[in-house]
Amino acid sequence: MSDLPPHDSSAQPDPVDSFEEIIAAETGRDPDLAVIEAGSRTLRTQGGPPGADAPARPADPEADQALREVEAELATRWGETKLEPSVSRIAALMDVLGEPQRSYPSIHITGTNGKTSTARMIEALLGAFELRTGRYTSPHVQSITERISLDGAPMGAERFVETYQDIKPYIEMVDGQQEFRLSFFEVLTGMAYAAFADAPVDVAVVEVGMGGSWDATNVIDADVAVVTPVDLDHTDRLGSTPGEIAGEKAGIVKQDATVILAQQPVDAAQVLLKKAVEVDATVAREGLEFGVVGRQVAVGGQLLTLRGLGGEYEELFLPLHGAYQAHNAAVALAAVEAFFGVGSQRPEPLDIDTVRKAFASVASPGRLEVVRRSPTVVLDAAHNPAGARATADAVSEVFDFSRLIGVVGASGDKNVRGLLEAFEPIFAEVVITQNSSHRAMDADELAAIAVEVFGDERVQVEPRLDDALEAAITLAEEEGEYASGGVLVTGSVITVGEARLLLGRG
């Protein structure tokens, strides 16, 4: 049964006037959602920091060789793009490991874009409140060890190898019992859950790999489920509309959980709210129960005022760029408030100084990250049209480039035309390249699409990424010594990670 009376469009949740104005400006709700919203319980107030960098290869030759051997063994398994929609194998692994994922509470994150940045912010907030955290995210930018973090830092290579060796006999046992061997992602998920139990952590922050219902991470019963904005990606596996995709992602919403919903397309919101009703979950929605009250561009990031479940949090410095990161911050804050019971068990907000300290410490490598000056080179891992549009908006807001050159290397299974079209208004020219992954789209094939979008005169092809970076920097410098030319490297997390290494980061 609902804890709310029937929906009354004249009723307001109690926000301050400025917050109501922002809700009115930013929220477009379909009246048809009223019946669903009336049936959902709505959460409202009743009366160590992540490392700044992605890790490099281990300096010790023996540790590096051991890590390479583990990577080679993992590479023999199904890759992350080959899936059999089932959690039976990972459930079997958890069973023989003694259900390690049930030894700590968790916050589970799904959505299309913004998951990793949101996870990093949640981790920073929890760490600032002196909780020991484990974070599991994917894919990695430079090193596979990034995927499993303890206390806000990527797991060291030695510990990563030890964790793999510890559970390897159990992996082989499950492999022998199943129709298909455990996949690359399933093994890493098992490693993460085992490492978190062994630490032990106070709370795990877990990002899904793909979808939700049958994602390998979905053997946890998270107290807090987070859904970042849902858009079109992996349409061959998840569905062709935001609503269909949301149906898969709703699988992480468990009985009596608290659900933190970022702004969603209407059809996605309908599906997610319906699932919340079915499992009697408590819901907090961006733009209604929480949200961004104000934001100002600042040197090195932005200054935010966020409306949380416990009230307003002012003067929060976030060292990340773009409006979308402000919305990620609002979602992360609401998730941590929900975890601590703000809005349900406790009416008071979180300590503002601790929240400020946490947000000021956040880093998200490869997300509008400046890695060079003169000319400025920015890395961003946008890999679908929605992400590219958000990045293009942020670049236009933050940087005053007189001439911006794009370096784009994408995966072959992505909507590359949509991605290129999102960047076309801000790129003076684009250098097409490809990364070293077997999933990379051939540079000539990608260039053919780029020519249709940009025109032949604005497209250059350099299959080698190092050559592409050099060409783009040269083009950006054509403006002259005192001009403000820039380079944006984008299209794939792998492209960004390889560029990051080439440019001397990590």
Side-chain angles (χ1 to χ4, degrees):
M1 293 295 291
S2 170
D3 288 343
L4 289 179
H7 182 76
D8 178 359
S9 61
S10 67
Q12 296 295 332
D14 288 329
V16 296
D17 292 343
S18 60
F19 187 57
E20 291 180 9
E21 292 171 3
I22 286 178
I23 292 171
E26 294 190 1
T27 309
R29 298 289 177 181
D30 190 306
D32 290 340
L33 293 182
V35 65
I36 297 176
E37 292 178 357
S40 66
R41 290 186 294 156
T42 303
L43 185 61
R44 54 168 58 91
T45 301
Q46 316 248 334
D53 242 337
R57 298 296 310 183
D60 177 42
E62 291 186 6
D64 185 54
Q65 180 59 32
L67 180 60
R68 290 183 187 278
E69 289 173 1
V70 171
E71 290 171 323
E73 289 187 26
L74 290 171
T76 65
R77 297 179 175 274
W78 278 1
E80 291 174 281
T81 59
K82 186 172 182 180
L83 304 167
E84 193 268 326
S86 167
V87 294
S88 60
R89 292 177 301 281
I90 186 67
L93 180 61
M94 292 297 99
D95 181 54
V96 298
L97 289 175
E99 304 291 347
Q101 81 283 13
R102 305 202 187 283
S103 63
Y104 40 79
S106 54
I107 297 175
H108 206 177
I109 307 168
T110 190
T112 301
N113 291 308
K115 296 187 295 296
T116 298
S117 292
T118 302
R120 284 176 170 270
M121 293 179 199
I122 291 172
E123 175 189 49
L125 285 161
L126 293 168
F129 283 98
E130 300 185 349
L131 292 183
R132 188 165 202 202
T133 58
R135 173 172 53 85
Y136 181 52
T137 54
S138 61
H140 57 272
V141 177
Q142 286 178 202
S143 170
I144 194 172
T145 60
E146 294 168 39
R147 295 178 180 234
I148 306 174
S149 290
L150 294 169
D151 295 322
M155 181 183 284
E158 294 87 348
R159 189 165 187 176
F160 186 92
V161 171
E162 289 173 3
T163 301
Y164 176 75
Q165 295 298 344
D166 284 346
I167 71 169
K168 183 178 177 180
Y170 302 96
I171 293 169
E172 293 172 344
M173 184 188 307
V174 173
D175 283 344
Q177 296 171 345
Q178 299 290 320
E179 181 180 1
F180 304 107
R181 296 170 70 214
L182 288 155
S183 70
F184 169 87
F185 186 73
E186 287 168 336
V187 171
L188 282 174
T189 303
M191 289 174 60
Y193 288 162
F196 296 163
D198 184 61
V201 302
D202 296 315
V203 55
V205 183
V206 179
E207 173 190 337
V208 304
M210 186 186 298
S213 296
W214 40 260
D215 186 74
T217 63
N218 202 30
V219 288
I220 55 174
D221 292 320
D223 298 320
V224 179
V226 176
V227 187
T228 67
V230 173
D231 213 299
L232 300 181
D233 199 10
H234 301 295
T235 53
D236 56 330
R237 298 175 179 86
L238 301 180
S240 58
T241 67
E244 291 178 357
I245 293 171
E248 288 295 334
K249 296 184 183 296
I252 74 164
V253 179
K254 304 298 174 57
Q255 188 73 33
D256 298 322
T258 299
V259 188
I260 307 298
L261 292 183
Q263 286 279 352
Q264 303 292 345
V266 169
D267 59 340
Q270 289 175 321
V271 171
L272 293 164
L273 290 169
K274 181 180 178 183
K275 178 59 181 286
V277 172
E278 291 172 352
V279 298
D280 201 24
T282 303
V283 178
R285 301 154 294 178
E286 183 185 5
L288 292 176
E289 283 73 49
F290 69 93
V292 179
V293 174
R295 56 181 294 268
Q296 294 177 295
V297 176
V299 176
Q302 52 193 310
L303 195 63
L304 307 177
T305 297
L306 301 180
R307 171 74 173 185
L309 306 175
E312 280 198 8
Y313 298 79
E314 299 179 339
E315 297 182 1
L316 307 175
F317 176 69
L318 180 69
L320 301 176
H321 300 294
Y324 68 96
Q325 292 288 21
H327 291 281
N328 289 341
V331 169
L333 177 61
V336 173
E337 286 184 305
F339 180 80
F340 284 123
V342 175
S344 53
Q345 287 88 34
R346 50 181 284 186
E348 68 275 9
L350 300 176
D351 178 71
I352 184 63
D353 290 333
T354 305
V355 171
R356 286 174 180 151
K357 176 184 175 183
F359 276 124
S361 73
V362 172
S364 195
R367 276 75 179 179
L368 277 181
E369 180 185 20
V370 176
V371 293
R372 172 184 163 147
R373 299 287 186 182
S374 299
T376 298
V377 178
V378 183
L379 308 180
D380 191 86
H383 55 272
N384 55 49
R389 288 191 295 271
T391 296
D393 289 344
V395 168
S396 300
E397 175 186 76
V398 176
F399 301 99
D400 187 24
F401 292 129
S402 58
R403 175 182 174 84
L404 180 61
I405 309 301
V407 175
V408 179
S411 297
D413 59 347
K414 298 296 181 180
N415 178 0
V416 295
R417 180 180 294 276
L419 181 138
L420 292 169
E421 288 174 346
F423 284 123
E424 190 277 332
I426 68 168
F427 286 165
E429 297 182 54
V430 62
V431 181
I432 297 299
T433 189
Q434 65 188 74
N435 58 57
S436 63
S437 168
H438 68 279
R439 295 173 55 199
M441 176 174 280
D442 178 78
D444 289 333
E445 183 182 351
L446 180 57
I449 300 172
V451 167
E452 295 176 3
V453 174
F454 289 85
D456 185 65
E457 293 182 355
R458 295 168 63 194
V459 178
Q460 183 172 330
V461 184
E462 296 289 350
R464 286 172 52 105
L465 182 56
D466 54 350
D467 293 337
L469 292 170
E470 183 177 350
I473 289 170
T474 300
L475 287 169
E477 289 175 334
E478 287 181 358
E479 286 281 272
E481 183 179 355
Y482 301 106
S484 55
V487 174
L488 175 63
V489 184
T490 190
S492 164
V493 175
I494 298 169
T495 300
V496 163
E498 293 180 356
R500 208 169 183 274
L501 284 170
L502 288 168
L503 292 165
R505 296 300 295 267

